[in-house]
Amino acid sequence: SFTQTCRIGVQDQAHDPTRIMMKVNITNQAGDHVYIPSSDNDDGDGDGGVFVTPVAGSCVYRDLVPVADAFHDLVADMSNAQDWEALTAKQILVSVITSHPAIHRCRQMTESYLGSSQALHTNDATSACLYDVHDPLWDTDPCCNDTLLWDTCCVPRPINITLDAFTGIEKNFGSFDIRTTCRDEGQATRVLQDYVQFSNAALSPFTGCVAEANKVADQQAYDELHAFIDECLYLVGIQLVTPPCTSDEDCYTYCDTALGTCAVALPNSDEPMVRCHTDRMQPSLRRYLIEAWSLAANITETQFKAEYLARLQTPNCVGTLLADSLVWKVDARTGLRTYLTTTAEKCLEREVCSYNVRLESPEECTEPYYCATCFGGLCVPSMYPPGCSIDAYTPDECERQGGEWFPDLSPYECILPSLASEEECLDGSVCPSSSYEEEPELWHKERCHASLCYTNDTRETCVNLLPADVCTNGNAVYKEWYPDWRSGSGLCEVLVPDEETCLGMEGASWWVGRVWLDGRFDNQEECEAGLCSTDAWADIDISPPDCNTSYACNTWVRQCQSTEIRQYCFSDTTDSCTCTLEGGGIDGLTGLCVHPLARRDCLSRNLTWAACEDLTEEQCADCRETEDTPPGPLCPVTHLGLGCMINVYAEPKTKGMCEAGGVCSDSTDIFNIYSDDCSGTNFLPDDCFGACFTPFYVSDDGHGYCPRGLTKGLAGCFLYHAISPSECSEYGPKFSWVTAAQTQQDCETRFPLLCYEGDSVLPTAKSQQECDLCSGTLRPVYRWSPGEWVQEEPQGYTWAKGNWTALNRWEPTLNFNILEKEVSSALTQQFALARQTQALCMYNPMLETLKRISCDCTKDSQNPTTCYPSDVSIVSVGVQRFCSGLSSGVRAGSISVTFHTNTLAQGACTHVGIYIVAASQFQLTPKETLTAVTTHATANPYSLIVNQYGVTVGQVLGDGARLTFDPPSSAPASPMVLCLSPHGNIAMSSEYVTFDFATTTDTYQAWVPANLKAWRNQEGALCANISMLLDNTYWPVARYDDWNNVRTNPPLFPGDVAGGYYFVGVLFILLGIASGVLLACACLLINRKVNLGKAITLLVMLFGVVRGLHLLLLPGGSLTSSPSSLAGFYLLSELPIFLFFSAYTTFVFFWAEVAHFMQKSTTFLRVMRVPYIVTNVLLYVMFILFISIFHSISPQAQPSLTLAYRLTIAICCIMVIAASVLFGGRVVYLQNKMMAAVDDTSKRRTLFWRMLGILLSCTCGLALQVAFLLNSAFNKGEVAPWVALLFYLLAELFPLAALLYCVTPALMFRRSSSSLQSTTAKEGSTIVSGTSPLSHSSRNLLSATSQTSI
C-alpha cells in the first residue's frame, strides 16, 4: 500500500528554468520512504518526477505535445522496474502525468463537443469490487471490504453499474460547435467518433483497460504467483503450518505423522526446496527466469533445477551454534538457516572437536574416527568402545572405585580401564554365567550389573538368622540364594541396605555392579548401519538387519510413572513382628509390610507388586504430593510415597498401550515454556504444557494476524512472555491460558473449526455455509494422530573423522534474499507489461485525439497547418510477452490476443506490440459533389471489401489490429486467437451474412477476406484462429458467403424502396408528358406566340422529365458522380432545382403582372421584364460557376462552398416565397373585390377558395424546398429514402402539378379583348381597355377567372 504526495515547484535550473518538475513522494504503510530509481527526467533525489512546462488556462496544443511525450517516456520506463514497489511508483507517476493541466484542459475541451448519458453496465457474475470506496455498498461487500473476508465469502455475483458514457457529437451553437470552431469539420467529426468508441470501451468496469490489467497484475495476483516460496517452507518442514500432512506424498521431505507436518530434511534441505520451487512455480515465472538467466529455451527439468540451485546459492555461514556476533537465520541442514553479512574468517573462528563438541581442547580430540550423531556442525558421540562399566552415579564415586568418568557413554559413564576383557570384568567367582541372561545376548552384558552383599555360605547354610528377640531388637539377618551366580555354583546374598553395613558383617563381601560393553558403533560399517527406530524412539538394543522383526510405537504416550523410579513388593501383613519374620519391614507412610524383592521374586512369593504404571490418570493425579498439597482420595494407599506423576513423554512398551495413545499437533504452538516450576523433567503438571492465548486479529485483507509482541500460531495468537496462568490473566479478558490437548476430542474441538480455501495455508473463520460458498473445507485447527505400532527402520550415524575443526561451515546454500530478488524481478517484468498495456490502452488513443482536436479546433497561430497526418494513424495500445508452452492472453481495448501452448515454435518467446488502426480513416466518403439537397442514401461507407471483379462484397465492422513481433523471426508458427470488437458507430448491412477477418498490407489499398471460421464470443467480439502475417493489419468484417464469385454490385436500395423511387419517377415523367401535351395543344390550337403561360408549362415539362429520369436511374446505381458521368449527374440531380426555381419565378412574375393589370398599372411588364430575365439567367450562370469553382478547390474548402451554395438557393427561395405571397395575395384580394358585384355568392366563394388554394399550394411547396435546403446546409446527415420520396411528392410534384393546373386555362382560353371589356363592364368595372399592355395569357387568365372560375 502506498500514499502519495504530489508537489509542484522544483525548477529545472540545469536545463530550462521555465520548466517545473512534478514530484511524487511515496511512503509505505510503515512510513518509510520508497525509493524510485532516477531517470533522465528526474533530478536524482530519489523522488520520481517529470519535468513539464507550466500551461495557460485553456487547451493549448504546444503545451499538450511535450506532456504527451513525457507520458510515452514514463510508460516505456515501466519496463525498467525491478520490484513491485518500483513498478507501483512508476504507475503512480503515469497517473500524475495524465492528470496534468495541459491534458486535463484539452480533454475538457474535446469532451465538450460530446453528449453523455447514464449507461447501465451489467455483468452476469464477477468477484471484482466495482464500488467506489466512498459508496456505502463498499463497506458491506466482501469483494470490496477485505476485512469481511474473515467470516464472509466473496462469491461471483451479478453486478449492475450505472456510469456516464459518451453518446456522440452534439450540435451546439456557441463556442463548442464543431462546425464553427474546427477547421476540418469532417476529420474532427471522425476523430471524435473514434474518441467516443475507445473511451466507452476503455472505461468499462468489466472489460476496460484498468479492469483487464487488474485481472492479471494486481497485488493479489502478485501474491498468488509469489506464494510458492512460502508454500515450500512448510512442504520441506522449515515452517510448521497447516494443512497437515498424512503421508510422505504430501511433502517434499517426509511426513512426521506424530505432528502431522512435513519434517526437515537433514543434513541438507536445499535439494527438496529446489524440487518444490521448480514444481510449484507458475510456468510463466519459470519462463521469465530462463530468459533472465540466458538459459537454453529447451533446457531439461534436471538442468533447470541444477541451474536454479547454482544461481541462488551463495557462500554463507551455516551451522547450529554460531558466534554471538553473527546473525541468526535458518540453517538449511538443520531446519535453521543463516544468511550473514559477515566474513568467512568470522564464521570459522570457533573450533571444536569434530566428533564431540563438548571437548575443550585439541589435546582431548584424539580419536582418529568416531561414530556420532551430527546436526549441521554439531556432533554428539554415539560410539561405545569395549570396556567394563561399574555401577557409579557420580564422577567422585567412579574415581573412588578406581574408574574413569566418560560422560558421553551414558548410562555407562564409569569405566574400569584395568579390566580389559569380559572374563575379567564379569568375574566368574561372583557373577552368573552368560546363560543367565533373560534376553538374547546383547552388546552390553548386564547379568552382573547389580551391586550386592554376599557371603561364602553354601545353599544349606544360606538361611535367615532370626534371634528370639528379633521382633524387639530387629537384629535378624536375611539371606537369599541365587543358584546361577558364581558361574552356576550359586551365591548367597545378604540383604543389607548399603556397602557399609555389608562390610561390617562377619564373612560378608561387597560386589560393585559391573556391565561389560562389547563395543557399539566402534567401526564404520556398524556406525553407518545405525539402529532400528521409529519416528519417536530409537531402540538402542537392536540394529540392522534385525529391524524387520522389531516393532515399536511411532509416538509417545502419557503414562503414570514414579518420579523417583520407585516400586516395591508388599504383603497384607500389618504386624511389624510378623513382617520382620517374613523378611520385610513396616513402611511408615503406608503401614504396609514392604519386602526388598525384585518384581520377579515378589510375584514368585505370591506377594503384591506396587507400581505407578498400575494407576489410572485420575488416580495418578491424586497421588501427586507437594509441600502444600497432600495426596488426594483417589490415590491408593499402596502407592503413597512412590512419587507417582504423569510422564507426558513415556515410551509405550506394548502395542495396546501404543494404540490407546496419540498426540495432538497443538504441540507446535502449546509447549513447555520452562518456567521455574516447569523444568528439568518430563514429570510436569499439565499447566506447564500451556500457553497464553488470544484469538486472531483481523487484518485489512481479511486474514488473521498477530500484532507485534504476539506469536502467530495455527489457532490464534500466543503470548509466550506470560509463562503461567496468573501472568496470562494480567493481560486482560481477551487472553486465556490453554493447555496441550490430551485426547482426540479435546484436540479437534477445543478451538473453533477454521475454513481453508483451496491451497491457502491462511485459514479464515467462516461458517460452514460461507466456507462452502468459497469452495473451502471446514476442519479442526489441530490434528490428532493416534499411535501406531510400526516396524522399526534403520537409522544410521556419521562416521566422523576426528580432528579439531571449525564449528560452522562456509559453503554455498540457497539464499532466499537472492531468490526473493530474482522472483520479484521476474514477476515485476511480467506485471510491468500489463501495466504498460493499461496505460497505453487507457490514454494513448485519448492523447492522439487530444492532439488532433487541440490543433484543429483552437485559435492559435502557432498550431500546425496540418492537424491530421496524411499517412495512416496507427496507435499503440498494448504490449505483452508470449512464450511457447504457455497459454496466455492480453486484452487492450477492442483487441484481444491469446496464444496457445503451441502457437510459437518450441522454446521460442516473442515480445508483441499491439496497435489499433481506426477504421474511420478508410471509410468511403462519396466523391464530394455540389448538391443543394441530399435526398438519397449512399452506399455503406465501410463497404471496403472488393473482390477481383471490382464488386463490393463486404464491409469492415470495427477497428483493425496490427501486431509486431520482436524479434521479427519470433512471429507465431501456428494459429493464435484474435478477437476484435465491432465499432459502435458502424452499422452492419443486412446483406452481409458471414463473419470473417480481412487483411491489409502496409499500403491499406485492398481488404482481402481471410476465409476464417469466425465466431462471436460472449462479449460480442469477433474471434478467429489466425496465422499471423507480418506487416498485416487484421479487420473484423462481414461479407457475402460466396464473396469471390459475385460479379455485379447490388442495387443501391432494397426492392420496396427502389419500387417507390420508380413509381415517383414515373409520376414525374407523366407530369412532363402532360405539360408537353398542353404546350403542344396551346401552340397548335390557340397560337404560337411566346407568353408566360407557355414558359411556365415548358419549365414544368423539363422539370418533370429530368427529375423523372433522375429517380428512375438512381436505384440501379448507374447515376454516379464519377468523372466520366459528372455532367450527367449534375444535369439530372441539380438542374431540376433551378428549373423548379425558374418555374416559380415566372409564376410570381405572372402574379405580379395580373395584380398590376387589375390596378390599371401598365408599366410593370415593361419595367420588370428585363430584371426577370436577368435573374433567371444569373441563376443558371451561378449554377455553372459554383460547379466549376467547387471542382477546382481543395476538398477541405468544398464543404464551405457547399454551405454557401445551399444558403444562396435557400435565400432565393425565401425571396420567391415573399414575392409569391405578396403578389399572389394581392391578386386574390383584387379578384375577390372584383367579384363582389356578382350576384352568385356561391360562385364567388368557390372562386375565392380556389384562388387561395393555388396560392397556398405554391407557397408551401417553396417553403418545403427552403426547409430541406436549410437542413442540408446545417445538418450533413443524409435523408432516409422514404423521407426523400415524400420530399419529391410534397415539395416538387404536387406544387408543380398545381402550378400546371393553374396556368392551363390561360393556355386554352380563346376570347378577344373586347369580350373581356364587355364582361368586366357588365360586372360594373371598366378597368381594362383593349390596348392594355397586359399579356395575352394574363388577359386570358383573368377572363377565365371571371367566367370559367378556374
Side-chain angles (χ1 to χ4, degrees):
S1 299
F2 294 90
T3 58
Q4 59 172 332
T5 304
C6 302
R7 57 187 175 92
I8 301 179
V10 181
Q11 290 188 336
D12 182 15
Q13 299 292 346
H15 302 89
D16 183 357
T18 65
R19 296 199 305 162
I20 290 179
M21 171 168 282
M22 298 184 66
K23 304 291 294 183
V24 181
N25 298 327
I26 302 177
T27 58
N28 59 22
Q29 285 180 325
D32 303 322
H33 177 76
V34 178
Y35 176 75
I36 305 174
S38 300
S39 63
D40 293 339
N41 284 337
D42 201 351
D43 56 0
D45 65 352
D47 296 330
V50 181
F51 280 114
V52 296
T53 303
V55 298
S58 59
C59 175
V60 180
Y61 172 78
R62 63 181 184 277
D63 293 334
L64 175 65
V65 171
V67 180
D69 293 340
F71 163 80
H72 290 107
D73 292 340
L74 285 175
V75 173
D77 190 48
M78 280 185 172
S79 61
N80 296 323
Q82 295 300 313
D83 54 49
W84 180 252
E85 286 188 345
L87 177 60
T88 304
K90 293 178 185 296
Q91 188 178 348
I92 293 175
L93 288 178
V94 170
S95 298
V96 170
I97 196 66
T98 52
S99 300
H100 188 275
I103 294 178
H104 178 68
R105 288 164 183 161
C106 289
R107 187 172 181 179
Q108 279 188 316
M109 185 201 75
T110 299
E111 294 178 358
S112 66
Y113 292 113
L114 306 175
S116 64
S117 65
Q118 293 281 300
L120 179 64
H121 297 264
T122 302
N123 190 289
D124 292 338
T126 179
S127 57
C129 175
L130 300 169
Y131 299 116
D132 184 84
V133 69
H134 302 294
D135 192 323
L137 293 175
W138 189 95
D139 296 326
T140 58
D141 189 341
C143 297
C144 295
N145 186 357
D146 287 342
T147 59
L148 301 178
L149 294 175
W150 179 241
D151 53 18
T152 310
C153 185
C154 168
V155 295
R157 73 281 193 223
I159 292 289
N160 296 325
I161 295 183
T162 301
L163 298 175
D164 285 335
F166 295 117
T167 56
I169 301 174
E170 284 191 341
K171 303 298 182 181
N172 302 312
F173 289 92
S175 58
F176 294 110
D177 185 356
I178 192 173
R179 296 166 294 186
T180 58
T181 57
C182 300
R183 289 176 286 170
D184 191 338
E185 180 187 352
Q187 290 282 27
T189 300
R190 175 185 67 79
V191 169
L192 287 174
Q193 288 175 342
D194 288 339
Y195 184 87
V196 170
Q197 173 71 13
F198 79 72
S199 292
N200 290 341
L203 296 174
S204 168
F206 304 112
T207 59
C209 304
V210 176
E212 289 296 323
N214 286 341
K215 292 176 183 178
V216 296
D218 61 357
Q219 183 68 49
Q220 181 179 355
Y222 183 90
D223 293 340
E224 290 175 356
L225 291 171
H226 195 273
F228 75 96
I229 297 178
D230 293 332
E231 292 173 359
C232 289
L233 289 176
Y234 72 81
L235 290 175
V236 300
I238 291 180
Q239 289 186 359
L240 303 179
V241 295
T242 52
C245 62
T246 56
S247 65
D248 291 347
E249 287 72 20
D250 298 331
C251 303
Y252 279 85
T253 52
Y254 65 92
C255 181
D256 183 344
T257 55
L259 294 176
T261 59
C262 299
V264 178
L266 298 175
N268 188 343
S269 65
D270 279 359
E271 187 276 332
M273 184 73 77
V274 169
R275 275 194 297 113
C276 181
H277 282 185
T278 54
D279 286 350
R280 299 181 73 86
M281 72 169 55
Q282 293 287 343
S284 58
L285 174 60
R286 177 192 179 109
R287 173 59 67 177
Y288 270 95
L289 292 176
I290 289 175
E291 290 191 77
W293 295 341
S294 300
L295 304 179
N298 58 349
I299 188 172
T300 65
E301 183 70 18
T302 302
Q303 291 171 332
F304 179 73
K305 289 179 179 178
E307 191 70 30
Y308 187 90
L309 182 61
R311 287 182 176 272
L312 299 182
Q313 281 186 328
T314 57
N316 285 297
C317 193
V318 178
T320 305
L321 300 177
L322 301 178
D324 294 339
S325 60
L326 305 183
V327 181
W328 259 88
K329 293 289 185 181
V330 182
D331 181 3
R333 309 190 190 290
T334 65
L336 300 173
R337 184 184 301 275
T338 307
Y339 297 125
L340 308 170
T341 56
T342 186
T343 62
E345 291 75 15
K346 185 67 176 177
C347 173
L348 303 176
E349 69 179 3
R350 182 180 178 186
E351 296 181 332
V352 295
C353 183
S354 61
Y355 60 83
N356 191 345
V357 72
R358 291 191 288 266
L359 299 181
E360 298 179 354
S361 66
E363 291 73 21
E364 297 178 278
C365 186
T366 57
E367 296 291 339
Y369 285 93
Y370 215 92
C371 190
T373 302
C374 297
F375 302 89
L378 174 64
C379 291
V380 178
S382 297
M383 183 173 75
Y384 295 89
C388 185
S389 173
I390 64 173
D391 189 10
Y393 294 100
T394 65
D396 292 340
E397 185 180 358
C398 178
E399 184 179 0
R400 186 171 58 83
Q401 297 290 347
E404 296 182 14
W405 186 260
F406 297 92
D408 295 325
L409 300 183
S410 175
Y412 311 110
E413 297 95 336
C414 188
I415 302 296
L416 291 175
S418 59
L419 304 178
S421 65
E422 181 180 355
E423 289 75 15
E424 293 177 304
C425 178
L426 305 180
D427 187 356
S429 63
V430 176
C431 297
S433 63
S434 59
S435 61
Y436 176 78
E437 297 283 353
E438 294 182 1
E439 303 291 341
E441 194 70 21
L442 301 174
W443 63 276
H444 49 101
K445 308 297 192 288
E446 298 189 3
R447 60 182 180 270
C448 202
H449 74 285
S451 296
L452 54 84
C453 183
Y454 66 94
T455 64
N456 292 325
D457 288 321
T458 63
R459 182 178 180 84
E460 290 76 14
T461 61
C462 185
V463 295
N464 294 333
L465 301 177
L466 302 176
D469 58 350
V470 65
C471 290
T472 57
N473 61 32
N475 291 324
V477 177
Y478 296 97
K479 299 180 181 180
E480 185 76 25
W481 178 257
Y482 295 103
D484 296 321
W485 285 58
R486 278 187 179 165
S487 301
S489 300
L491 181 72
C492 182
E493 178 188 4
V494 180
L495 303 179
V496 296
D498 51 43
E499 180 180 1
E500 183 180 356
T501 303
C502 175
L503 297 179
M505 297 178 61
E506 182 180 357
S509 301
W510 181 258
W511 169 261
V512 180
R514 301 175 186 177
V515 175
W516 174 254
L517 306 177
D518 276 341
R520 184 69 161 169
F521 310 130
D522 55 351
N523 60 78
Q524 182 175 359
E525 180 181 0
E526 188 177 350
C527 175
E528 294 177 347
L531 297 173
C532 297
S533 72
T534 64
D535 291 339
W537 309 104
D539 194 329
I540 63 172
D541 291 332
I542 303 177
S543 58
D546 297 327
C547 295
N548 58 352
T549 61
S550 177
Y551 289 82
C553 195
N554 68 339
T555 187
W556 56 84
V557 296
R558 291 167 56 88
Q559 187 178 37
C560 187
Q561 293 182 351
S562 173
T563 58
E564 303 175 9
I565 320 180
R566 290 183 59 188
Q567 47 195 353
Y568 57 87
C569 181
F570 68 93
S571 66
D572 295 334
T573 301
T574 57
D575 178 67
S576 69
C577 185
T578 305
C579 178
T580 301
L581 292 175
E582 292 178 353
I586 297 298
D587 180 76
L589 179 63
T590 63
L592 299 176
C593 181
V594 178
H595 295 262
L597 299 175
R599 182 174 185 276
R600 179 179 57 182
D601 297 326
C602 177
L603 298 178
S604 66
R605 290 187 176 189
N606 294 319
L607 299 177
T608 303
W609 181 257
C612 294
E613 287 81 356
D614 302 329
L615 300 181
T616 65
E617 192 162 322
E618 291 77 10
Q619 290 174 317
C620 188
D622 249 18
C623 286
R624 184 187 180 194
E625 182 179 3
T626 66
E627 294 180 359
D628 301 325
T629 306
L634 295 180
C635 181
V637 174
T638 55
H639 290 72
L640 294 176
L642 292 183
C644 293
M645 284 187 66
I646 296 296
N647 180 2
V648 294
Y649 296 116
E651 179 183 0
K653 297 296 186 180
T654 65
K655 180 179 180 181
M657 183 179 179
C658 171
E659 294 178 346
V663 62
C664 183
S665 62
D666 64 359
S667 57
T668 58
D669 294 330
I670 305 172
F671 44 82
N672 185 356
I673 54 178
Y674 302 112
S675 64
D676 293 340
D677 298 329
C678 300
S679 60
T681 176
N682 290 344
F683 296 92
L684 297 172
D686 287 342
D687 281 349
C688 288
F689 296 90
C692 190
F693 168 82
T694 187
F696 282 119
Y697 294 74
V698 181
S699 66
D700 291 340
D701 60 359
H703 288 106
Y705 81 99
C706 299
R708 183 176 297 179
L710 300 179
T711 301
K712 185 177 181 181
L714 302 183
C717 304
F718 292 89
L719 178 63
Y720 292 125
H721 297 299
I723 60 176
S724 67
S726 59
E727 289 188 20
C728 181
S729 64
E730 296 176 0
Y731 287 89
K734 288 187 63 176
F735 290 84
S736 61
W737 188 262
V738 293
T739 57
Q742 310 302 333
T743 64
Q744 180 173 357
Q745 181 178 3
D746 190 23
C747 176
E748 296 179 351
T749 62
R750 180 172 37 155
F751 295 99
L753 303 182
L754 295 182
C755 178
Y756 293 86
E757 302 167 31
D759 294 331
S760 174
V761 298
L762 300 176
T764 57
K766 293 181 176 65
S767 65
Q768 181 70 63
Q769 179 181 1
E770 292 292 329
C771 191
D772 291 341
L773 288 175
C774 279
S775 301
T777 302
L778 205 65
R779 60 171 180 262
V781 177
Y782 300 112
R783 176 176 175 268
W784 178 263
S785 298
E788 295 183 43
W789 194 250
V790 297
Q791 182 178 313
E792 295 181 317
E793 297 179 353
Q795 175 185 307
Y797 295 115
T798 301
W799 186 247
K801 184 177 182 180
N803 60 350
W804 189 257
T805 185
L807 171 63
N808 302 313
R809 303 184 308 281
W810 186 260
E811 62 183 32
T813 60
L814 195 61
N815 191 324
F816 273 73
N817 292 334
I818 297 178
L819 172 62
E820 289 280 353
K821 182 178 179 180
E822 293 285 349
V823 170
S824 177
S825 177
L827 291 179
T828 301
Q829 290 296 310
Q830 181 177 350
F831 283 13
L833 294 173
R835 291 306 177 187
Q836 283 179 299
T837 297
Q838 173 189 336
L840 292 172
C841 166
M842 190 78 180
Y843 298 112
N844 211 27
M846 178 191 75
L847 290 175
E848 290 299 314
T849 299
L850 298 187
K851 287 194 288 187
R852 303 288 176 261
I853 297 300
S854 63
C855 172
D856 185 35
C857 304
T858 57
K859 309 299 183 183
D860 191 337
S861 60
Q862 299 185 43
N863 286 356
T865 57
T866 303
C867 299
Y868 305 95
S870 58
D871 54 344
V872 175
S873 176
I874 303 175
V875 181
S876 173
V877 292
V879 291
Q880 186 55 279
R881 189 159 186 81
F882 296 98
C883 291
S884 64
L886 303 177
S887 178
S888 57
V890 61
R891 177 169 181 165
S894 61
I895 305 172
S896 175
V897 180
T898 302
F899 274 45
H900 302 294
T901 56
N902 62 342
T903 295
L904 296 173
Q906 184 176 5
C909 288
T910 184
H911 189 280
V912 178
I914 305 171
Y915 298 83
I916 190 170
V917 184
S920 62
Q921 301 175 91
F922 310 100
Q923 60 180 319
L924 297 173
T925 54
K927 182 173 179 165
E928 194 70 37
T929 54
L930 193 66
T931 55
V933 181
T934 305
T935 55
H936 60 83
T938 60
N940 188 322
Y942 291 94
S943 295
L944 303 173
I945 304 175
V946 179
N947 65 8
Q948 59 185 330
Y949 303 109
V951 176
T952 301
V953 293
Q955 72 164 95
V956 171
L957 297 177
D959 297 329
R962 184 180 179 89
L963 305 183
T964 61
F965 303 93
D966 185 19
S969 59
S970 63
S974 298
M976 65 181 186
V977 176
L978 178 66
C979 292
L980 301 176
S981 299
H983 201 297
N985 291 329
I986 299 178
M988 178 178 169
S989 298
S990 58
E991 65 265 27
Y992 304 131
V993 296
T994 300
F995 293 120
D996 196 359
F997 278 73
T999 61
T1000 55
T1001 60
D1002 286 342
T1003 61
Y1004 294 95
Q1005 297 297 317
W1007 278 255
V1008 181
N1011 291 321
L1012 299 174
K1013 293 182 179 179
W1015 68 90
R1016 279 187 178 270
N1017 62 15
Q1018 293 180 345
E1019 298 167 1
L1022 202 60
C1023 302
N1025 283 294
I1026 67 170
S1027 296
M1028 178 60 68
L1029 299 175
L1030 290 177
D1031 302 324
N1032 270 241
T1033 302
Y1034 282 76
W1035 306 83
V1037 301
R1039 57 170 174 82
Y1040 291 134
D1041 189 30
D1042 191 18
W1043 65 275
N1044 213 24
N1045 294 320
V1046 179
R1047 297 175 180 268
T1048 58
N1049 280 313
L1052 188 60
F1053 299 116
D1056 54 346
V1057 177
Y1061 271 77
Y1062 291 139
F1063 174 74
V1064 176
V1066 170
L1067 292 181
F1068 273 102
I1069 294 293
L1070 292 176
L1071 177 63
I1073 293 173
S1075 301
V1077 171
L1078 288 174
L1079 184 61
C1081 290
C1083 292
L1084 295 176
L1085 300 179
I1086 308 301
N1087 60 63
R1088 298 186 180 182
K1089 292 181 179 181
V1090 176
N1091 54 46
L1092 292 179
K1094 292 179 179 177
I1096 293 173
T1097 306
L1098 177 62
L1099 290 172
V1100 173
M1101 179 189 72
L1102 293 175
F1103 180 91
V1105 172
V1106 175
R1107 179 62 80 198
L1109 291 175
H1110 171 231
L1111 296 179
L1112 291 174
L1113 295 175
L1114 185 63
S1118 56
L1119 183 62
T1120 65
S1121 58
S1122 61
S1124 60
S1125 58
L1126 191 60
F1129 173 80
Y1130 280 117
L1131 286 175
L1132 293 179
S1133 65
E1134 291 302 297
L1135 182 60
I1137 298 293
F1138 290 87
L1139 294 175
F1140 183 90
F1141 189 75
S1142 294
Y1144 267 95
T1145 56
T1146 303
F1147 187 62
V1148 170
F1149 189 80
F1150 174 78
W1151 279 124
E1153 186 179 19
V1154 171
H1156 283 81
F1157 169 76
M1158 297 173 73
Q1159 290 182 304
K1160 302 181 181 179
S1161 175
T1162 60
T1163 60
F1164 178 79
L1165 186 60
R1166 272 196 319 272
V1167 174
M1168 296 303 299
R1169 181 181 292 142
V1170 173
Y1172 160 73
I1173 295 172
V1174 171
T1175 299
N1176 278 273
V1177 171
L1178 287 178
L1179 279 176
Y1180 290 95
V1181 171
M1182 180 191 72
F1183 173 54
I1184 297 173
L1185 287 176
F1186 265 108
I1187 293 175
S1188 301
I1189 296 172
F1190 182 85
H1191 287 281
S1192 64
I1193 60 177
S1194 65
Q1196 288 77 14
Q1198 287 177 343
S1200 299
L1201 187 62
T1202 300
L1203 177 62
Y1205 172 71
R1206 292 172 177 174
L1207 289 177
T1208 300
I1209 298 178
I1211 292 172
C1212 292
C1213 280
I1214 293 174
M1215 295 174 63
V1216 172
I1217 290 175
S1220 176
V1221 172
L1222 176 63
F1223 295 112
R1226 192 162 186 82
V1227 169
V1228 173
Y1229 169 75
L1230 293 173
Q1231 176 66 29
N1232 189 55
K1233 185 177 179 181
M1234 292 174 60
M1235 295 297 294
V1238 178
D1239 295 334
D1240 191 344
T1241 304
S1242 176
K1243 180 178 181 181
R1244 184 172 68 245
R1245 186 180 296 111
T1246 300
L1247 178 62
F1248 170 77
W1249 285 113
R1250 290 182 178 177
M1251 291 289 292
L1252 184 61
I1254 294 171
L1255 175 62
L1256 293 177
S1257 175
C1258 296
T1259 303
C1260 291
L1262 288 169
L1264 283 174
Q1265 284 281 358
V1266 172
F1268 273 83
L1269 284 167
L1270 292 177
N1271 179 71
S1272 298
F1274 294 103
N1275 294 294
K1276 295 187 177 181
E1278 297 168 346
V1279 178
W1282 287 109
V1283 176
L1285 288 177
L1286 289 175
F1287 166 77
Y1288 292 133
L1289 289 171
L1290 299 177
E1292 292 185 348
L1293 183 63
F1294 291 164
L1296 287 179
L1299 183 61
L1300 183 63
Y1301 176 63
C1302 180
V1303 301
T1304 298
L1307 294 175
M1308 305 305 298
F1309 191 70
R1310 303 183 61 178
R1311 187 172 293 275
S1312 65
S1313 59
S1314 59
S1315 298
L1316 177 62
Q1317 293 174 7
S1318 173
T1319 302
T1320 55
K1322 284 172 65 175
E1323 296 180 359
S1325 177
T1326 56
I1327 60 175
V1328 181
S1329 66
T1331 58
S1332 171
L1334 184 65
S1335 68
H1336 181 69
S1337 61
S1338 297
R1339 290 194 300 270
N1340 286 347
L1341 176 60
L1342 184 59
S1343 177
T1345 301
S1346 302
Q1347 299 183 21
T1348 64
S1349 302
I1350 65 168

